[in-house]
Amino acid sequence: MKKLLLISIFNFALFSLNCFAQQSKIDSLLVLLKTDKADTNKLIHLYNISDECETIGNYEEGLNYGKQALAFADVLLDKEKGGKIYESTQKYKAKSYANIGIINFAQANYSEALKNYQSAIKLFELIDDKKDVAKIYLRIGMVYYTQGDFPEALKNNFLALEKCGAVGDKKGEATSYNAIGAINFELGNYPEALRNHFLSLKIKEKLNDKRGIANSYNNIGNVYNAQANYQEAIKNYVLSLKIREEIEDKKGLADSYNNIGNVYGTIGNYTEALKNDLACLKIQEELGFKKGMAHVFNNIGDIYYYKGNYSEALKNYIASMKLKDEKTDKAGVALSKNNIGIIYTKQKKFKEAEECLISAKDLLIEVGHKEYLKGVYNALTDLDSARGDFKGAYKNHKLYILYRDSLDNEETRKKTIQSQMTYDFEKKEAITKAEQDKKDAVTSADKKKQQLLLWFLIALAIAIGFIAIVIFRGLQQSKRAKKVIELQRDKISEQKETVEHQKILVEEHQKEIVDSITYAKRIQYTLLANNELLKNNLPEHFIFFKPKDIVSGDFYWASKRDNKFYIAACDSTGHGVPGAFMSLLNISFLNEAVNEKNIFKPNEILDHVRRRLIENMDGGQDGMDAILICIDGIKLTYAAANNSPAIIKNGNLISLDADKMPVGKGENVAPFTLRTIDVVNGDSLYLYTDGYADQFGGPKGKKFKYKQLDELLISISNLPAKEQSKILNQRFEDWKGNLEQIDDMLVIGIRI
C-alpha cells in the first residue's frame, strides 16, 4: 500500500512539474510578446502561447491567443507584399488555424474544427508546404472517424498518405496506414485492416519507433480478436506488452493487460484472465483513471461470477459502480446494478435484488438503452422465478422476448460503405460475378425451385392483403348496420339478418386465412429434410418438431454432396408466418451454398448464408441461430451459431462449443469457427433450439430450462429413437399443462 502511495505521489509530482515547466514557458513567451517589436516574431510568440495552452488543456486561453495570432497575421499580410517574410507569416497563420482546429476538436466542436482545418490547408497549399498539408488531412480524417463518417475519413487518410509519400515523410505514411487500418476495422473489412496495420508496422520498425510499434501490435491483436483467432490475438498483445514495459508506457500497459484478460476470459481461461485484469487494475489505480478502474472491476466481477464465487463477484461489481457517475454514465451505473441484482438473486437476497434491478430498469428506460434493458428483464424473470412469483416471471419474460426480438429486427447501427472505395474490392466482385454467371447456366432446376418459392410468397402476400381488405370492408359494413338498427328500430329483424350475413362473411374469410396458412405449412414441410434422405444416412435418429403456430420459424434441413451428409437444426427470427418466411429464405440459402456454390465446410456454409441474408434483408438484423453438422465417413465436423450441440458419452452429457453470434447481421461479424466432434459407436448426439428449455409450466409455472432438458436427454439416451421422441412430447405436454406454448421447438437425436 505504501509502495502504491509513493508511486502515485511520484506520478503526481511529475505531472505537476511538467505543467509548471510549460506554464513557465508560457510566462516567458508573454514577456517576449510585450518587449518584441510588432513584426513576425510577435506572430510566432502568439502562436506558441496558443500551442502551449492547448498542450496543458487551457483551451479558453489557447483559443484567445490563437485568434489574436490570426488577426495580427492579417495586419502583417496587408503590409507585406511577397518575399520570405510574407511566406513565414502565411505559414504561422496556417499553423494558428490548425491549432484552433485542434482545440475545437478536443471540445467536440467538430464543424468548427473542420472549418479551421480547411482554412489551414488552403494556406499551406498556397506556400507549397506538402508535409503540413498531409498532417491536416490526417486531422480531418480523425474528425470524420470520430463522427462515424468512415467513407470521408478513409478519403482524407488516403489523401494524407499520398502527400506523405510525395515528400518522403515516412512517419506520416505510418500514421496514415494505421488510420486506414483502424477505419477498415470499424467497417468489418478485416483483411484490409490487417494489411494496412502491417504496412504501418513495417515503417515504424525501420524508424525504430517503439511506441508506434507497440501500438501497431496492439491494433493487429484487435483484428485477430474480432476474427476469433485468439492465439494470434494473444501473441500480438504480448508483443505490444513487452515493448510498452520497455518504454514504461503505463497507459499502454494497462490497455495491453486489459486486452489479454478479455481474450482469456472469452476462451474460459479465468485464471489467466484474472491475473491480467489485476495487473491492469494496479496500473489504472496508479494513474488514478476512474473510468478504466470501473471497467476492470466489472471484468473481474464477471470472472468470479462465471467461477461461481458470488461474494467476490459482488464485491467487484459494487467497486465498479462506486467509480461511475450516475449523472454522466447512467447506462454504466445501470449495468453495474443489474450485475449486483443478479448476484443478490443467486444469494437469495430477493429484496436487495429487486431494488437494484428496478433501479437499473428505470435508468435504462430514461436513456433508452434497449440492449441493457433486455438483460434487466431477463434478470427480473430469474428473480421472480427464484422467489416463486411465476406470474411476474412470465410477464418479465414476455418483455425480455419483446426487447430481444426488437433488437434482432431493428437496425441499431449506421449503414457503412466498405470496400467499394478500393480497386481490390471491385476486382474481387468482378471475378465473383463472372464465376457466378458461369454457374447460373447449370442451375436451372434449383432456379425453378426458387421461382416456385417466390411465386408462393407473392401469392400468399396478395391473398393476405386481399383478405385483410375484405375483413376491413366487412367491419365497415357492420358499423353501418349498427347505425341503421339505432335509427330504424322497426327494421330490427331485417338488420339482424344483415349482421348475421356479415358474421358469416367474416368467418368465411377467416377460414380462408387459416386455409392459406395451412397450405403454406404444406409447402414449408416439403422443403424440410426428406425422410428418405434422413433414413438412408442416419439409420437411428428421431426429430421432435413442434411449431408454436401452423407454420414455424424453427426448421431442420439436410443435404448430401460427394459422400458428405449435412444436417442442421435452425431457429429463424420470429415464429408463425414471419418466422416461416425467414425459414424459407434460410433453407434457400443453405441449398444454394451446398448445391450451387459447392461450399462444403459447415462454417463456410454459415458464412455464405449470413452474407446472402445481409445482402437481401436491406439492413435488417433478421437471421437465425443454427447448428450445422457434416458427417464424412467417421469424421464429424460442425459450426454453431448461438445454439450448442450436445453429446452423451457413457451417461455423461457434454455441451459442445458454439460461436456467440447469429447467422445474420449483428455486432460480431467474425467468420464462423469449424469444430470437430470426437465420437465412438454408441454415443448419442443432440441438436436443439431454445423453445423446449424456455417453455413455462410445471406445478409452479417455471421455465423448463436447459439443465432439466439435459437431464431428460441423459435418462432417455439409451432408448430407441422413436421412444425418445414420444417421451419428449409427453414430458412437454405434461409440463405445459394449460399454459400457452411460447415458441417453436425442435430436438434432433442421432445415435452414432
Side-chain angles (χ1 to χ4, degrees):
M1 187 69 178
K2 289 181 179 178
K3 184 179 179 183
L4 179 60
L5 180 61
L6 286 171
I7 292 170
S8 299
I9 292 170
F10 179 69
N11 286 334
F12 178 75
L14 284 177
F15 176 74
S16 300
L17 285 171
N18 187 47
C19 290
F20 178 77
Q22 287 181 308
Q23 186 59 51
S24 298
K25 188 174 181 180
I26 292 171
D27 293 339
S28 300
L29 288 167
L30 287 170
V31 171
L32 291 172
L33 187 65
K34 291 179 181 178
T35 57
D36 278 356
K37 294 180 180 180
D39 56 14
T40 308
N41 285 331
K42 181 178 179 179
L43 172 61
I44 295 171
H45 295 331
L46 286 168
Y47 162 73
N48 285 332
I49 294 169
S50 173
D51 187 46
E52 293 296 328
C53 288
E54 182 273 323
T55 302
I56 63 173
N58 189 348
Y59 298 135
E60 185 176 347
E61 286 298 304
L63 278 175
N64 177 32
Y65 282 103
K67 290 177 180 177
Q68 286 186 46
L70 290 176
F72 188 65
D74 287 336
V75 172
L76 292 177
L77 290 170
D78 285 340
K79 295 178 181 179
E80 299 162 0
K81 304 296 180 183
K84 290 185 177 180
I85 295 176
Y86 183 85
E87 186 174 307
S88 178
T89 302
Q90 291 281 38
K91 179 177 181 178
Y92 276 93
K93 183 178 180 182
K95 289 169 76 72
S96 296
Y97 269 125
N99 202 56
I100 293 170
I102 294 169
I103 294 170
N104 277 311
F105 176 72
Q107 295 178 310
N109 192 350
Y110 301 129
S111 60
E112 284 301 312
L114 286 172
K115 289 179 184 177
N116 301 139
Y117 289 150
Q118 292 294 348
S119 297
I121 281 181
K122 289 179 182 177
L123 291 172
F124 281 131
E125 286 180 336
L126 189 65
I127 59 176
D128 197 28
D129 186 345
K130 293 184 175 67
K131 191 170 183 178
D132 278 317
V133 168
K135 290 179 181 177
I136 301 300
Y137 276 126
L138 279 170
R139 293 195 177 279
I140 293 173
M142 179 57 70
V143 175
Y144 284 120
Y145 177 87
T146 305
Q147 292 178 300
D149 190 345
F150 299 129
E152 280 298 318
L154 206 57
K155 171 185 169 185
N156 281 278
N157 280 291
F158 275 123
L159 286 170
L161 181 63
E162 180 186 342
K163 298 291 183 183
C164 289
V167 296
D169 180 6
K170 292 297 179 183
K171 188 174 182 180
E173 282 187 83
T175 304
S176 300
Y177 280 127
N178 185 71
I180 294 166
I183 296 166
N184 277 289
F185 178 78
E186 293 292 339
L187 293 169
N189 191 352
Y190 299 134
E192 275 300 299
L194 279 175
R195 188 176 76 85
N196 282 279
H197 283 314
F198 277 121
L199 287 169
S200 178
L201 175 62
K202 186 177 180 181
I203 296 172
K204 290 170 183 174
E205 287 174 337
K206 288 182 179 178
L207 297 173
N208 197 28
D209 176 9
K210 291 189 176 181
R211 186 180 295 271
I213 293 168
N215 290 338
S216 286
Y217 278 130
N218 188 71
N219 292 337
I220 292 166
N222 289 338
V223 179
Y224 281 127
N225 189 22
Q227 292 179 306
N229 189 344
Y230 302 123
Q231 184 177 352
E232 284 297 317
I234 291 175
K235 173 185 169 183
N236 282 276
Y237 286 147
V238 170
L239 287 169
S240 176
L241 176 72
K242 288 179 179 177
I243 297 171
R244 286 168 169 173
E245 284 177 336
E246 181 185 341
I247 64 175
E248 298 181 351
D249 177 8
K250 290 200 169 185
K251 188 176 179 182
L253 272 172
D255 186 39
S256 292
Y257 280 125
N258 179 68
N259 289 338
I260 295 168
N262 285 339
V263 176
Y264 277 123
T266 300
I267 63 179
N269 189 341
Y270 299 129
T271 302
E272 283 298 316
L274 186 59
K275 173 184 169 183
N276 283 276
D277 282 340
L278 289 172
C280 176
L281 178 62
K282 182 180 178 182
I283 297 172
Q284 300 287 21
E285 287 173 339
E286 290 173 7
L287 296 173
F289 185 36
K290 287 187 177 182
K291 189 172 181 181
M293 290 162 61
H295 178 74
V296 180
F297 274 125
N298 188 75
N299 287 350
I300 294 172
D302 287 343
I303 292 169
Y304 281 119
Y305 174 80
Y306 291 129
K307 293 175 71 174
N309 189 342
Y310 299 134
S311 60
E312 281 298 314
L314 180 63
K315 186 172 93 175
N316 283 278
Y317 286 146
I318 291 173
S320 177
M321 184 178 70
K322 287 181 178 179
L323 290 166
K324 296 172 181 175
D325 186 350
E326 188 167 319
K327 291 181 180 179
T328 59
D329 188 14
K330 291 182 180 180
V333 173
L335 177 62
S336 291
K337 288 186 175 183
N338 182 59
N339 290 338
I340 293 167
I342 290 170
I343 298 296
Y344 280 140
T345 298
K346 295 287 185 183
Q347 294 177 331
K348 300 191 182 303
K349 296 179 180 179
F350 300 138
K351 183 179 179 182
E352 293 90 337
E354 182 177 26
E355 289 175 357
C356 287
L357 294 175
I358 293 299
S359 177
K361 182 185 74 171
D362 293 341
L363 284 171
L364 293 171
I365 289 173
E366 183 179 343
V367 298
H369 200 305
K370 291 185 178 181
E371 179 65 36
Y372 286 178
L373 260 175
K374 178 187 74 170
V376 170
Y377 281 121
N378 196 40
L380 284 168
T381 301
D382 291 339
L383 169 62
D384 288 335
S385 295
R387 62 185 178 182
D389 181 6
F390 303 116
K391 287 186 178 179
Y394 185 67
K395 175 184 174 183
N396 282 304
H397 183 72
K398 288 178 74 175
L399 288 168
Y400 161 74
I401 295 294
L402 177 68
Y403 276 95
R404 184 195 69 184
D405 289 347
S406 173
L407 286 166
D408 285 342
N409 285 284
E410 72 179 30
E411 181 172 319
T412 58
R413 295 189 301 170
K414 291 181 179 179
K415 292 182 179 179
T416 58
I417 304 170
Q418 286 194 352
S419 316
Q420 70 268 24
M421 304 180 72
T422 65
Y423 170 77
D424 287 340
F425 177 81
E426 291 174 348
K427 185 177 179 180
K428 289 176 184 176
E429 284 294 285
I431 293 170
T432 302
K433 186 177 184 302
E435 291 175 349
Q436 183 60 43
D437 289 339
K438 292 178 182 178
K439 291 177 182 178
D440 284 343
V442 294
T443 58
S444 59
D446 288 326
K447 280 189 175 181
K448 288 180 181 178
K449 193 172 184 181
Q450 293 293 329
Q451 288 173 348
L452 177 63
L453 174 61
L454 179 62
W455 282 114
F456 158 70
L457 293 175
I458 294 170
L460 183 59
I462 293 171
I464 291 172
F466 174 76
I467 293 165
I469 292 169
V470 173
I471 291 172
F472 176 76
R473 290 180 61 191
L475 291 172
Q476 291 296 99
Q477 290 175 1
S478 296
K479 288 179 182 179
R480 288 197 294 271
K482 183 177 179 181
K483 187 175 181 180
V484 171
I485 289 170
E486 292 173 350
L487 295 173
Q488 300 178 354
R489 295 185 180 276
D490 57 333
K491 296 183 179 180
I492 290 175
S493 59
E494 181 182 345
Q495 295 305 317
K496 183 179 179 182
E497 185 179 333
T498 302
V499 171
E500 288 295 327
H501 174 72
Q502 296 302 325
K503 180 183 176 184
I504 293 169
L505 185 63
V506 171
E507 288 174 348
E508 287 177 352
H509 290 311
Q510 286 176 334
K511 183 177 180 299
E512 289 177 11
I513 293 173
V514 174
D515 288 345
S516 295
I517 298 174
T518 302
Y519 184 71
K521 174 184 176 182
R522 289 174 55 194
I523 293 178
Q524 186 183 31
Y525 273 58
T526 62
L527 296 174
L528 297 177
N530 182 274
N531 286 334
E532 195 67 30
L533 178 65
L534 293 173
K535 287 178 183 177
N536 290 339
N537 292 277
L538 301 174
E540 190 169 357
H541 76 279
F542 73 84
I543 295 179
F544 174 66
F545 180 49
K546 199 174 187 73
K548 176 184 182 296
D549 302 306
I550 298 172
V551 287
S552 170
D554 286 11
F555 68 91
Y556 54 95
W557 171 87
S559 183
K560 186 168 185 180
R561 284 293 304 272
D562 299 338
N563 295 322
K564 292 181 175 64
F565 177 70
Y566 300 89
I567 184 164
C570 306
D571 181 1
S572 302
T573 304
H575 46 71
V577 173
F581 282 0
M582 282 306 305
S583 73
L584 294 175
L585 277 178
N586 288 324
I587 290 170
S588 170
F589 293 145
L590 285 167
N591 285 327
E592 179 183 80
V594 175
N595 298 319
E596 291 184 36
K597 302 295 183 181
N598 296 318
I599 301 172
F600 297 124
K601 292 183 180 179
N603 60 321
E604 294 178 358
I605 293 170
L606 294 189
D607 288 338
H608 174 80
V609 174
R610 177 172 59 187
R611 184 167 59 254
R612 294 287 284 127
L613 283 169
I614 292 171
E615 289 171 356
N616 287 274
M617 295 308 294
D618 193 24
Q621 292 188 315
D622 300 289
M624 64 175 174
D625 297 337
I627 304 168
L628 175 58
I629 306 288
C630 175
I631 303 173
D632 186 2
I634 60 171
K635 182 180 179 183
L636 269 72
T637 55
Y638 78 97
N642 283 329
N643 292 339
S644 301
I647 188 167
I648 296 177
K649 289 176 172 285
N650 300 320
N652 296 315
L653 185 140
I654 303 167
S655 183
L656 302 177
D657 293 333
D659 293 318
K660 297 302 180 184
M661 55 183 177
V663 181
K665 189 174 182 181
E667 293 296 325
N668 191 349
V669 294
F672 286 99
T673 306
L674 180 66
R675 295 181 168 93
T676 303
I677 308 174
D678 295 323
V679 294
V680 296
N681 288 339
D683 289 348
S684 294
L685 179 65
Y686 294 95
L687 324 177
Y688 42 78
T689 59
D690 59 1
Y692 205 110
D694 285 347
Q695 179 61 43
F696 281 91
K700 296 182 179 180
K702 291 184 176 181
K703 276 186 184 180
F704 194 83
K705 293 191 176 180
Y706 284 103
K707 182 179 179 182
Q708 193 173 183
L709 175 58
D710 290 344
E711 290 171 352
L712 175 58
L713 292 175
I714 292 170
S715 69
I716 66 174
S717 60
N718 289 325
L719 297 175
K722 288 185 179 179
E723 189 65 25
Q724 291 187 47
S725 181
K726 288 179 182 178
I727 292 172
L728 282 170
N729 184 59
Q730 187 59 49
R731 183 65 180 276
F732 168 74
E733 292 297 335
D734 293 342
W735 180 263
K736 180 174 73 70
N738 294 325
L739 294 179
E740 177 188 355
Q741 181 177 336
I742 66 169
D743 201 356
D744 302 322
M745 57 184 62
L746 171 62
V747 181
I748 300 175
I750 303 169
R751 181 72 53 78
I752 304 300

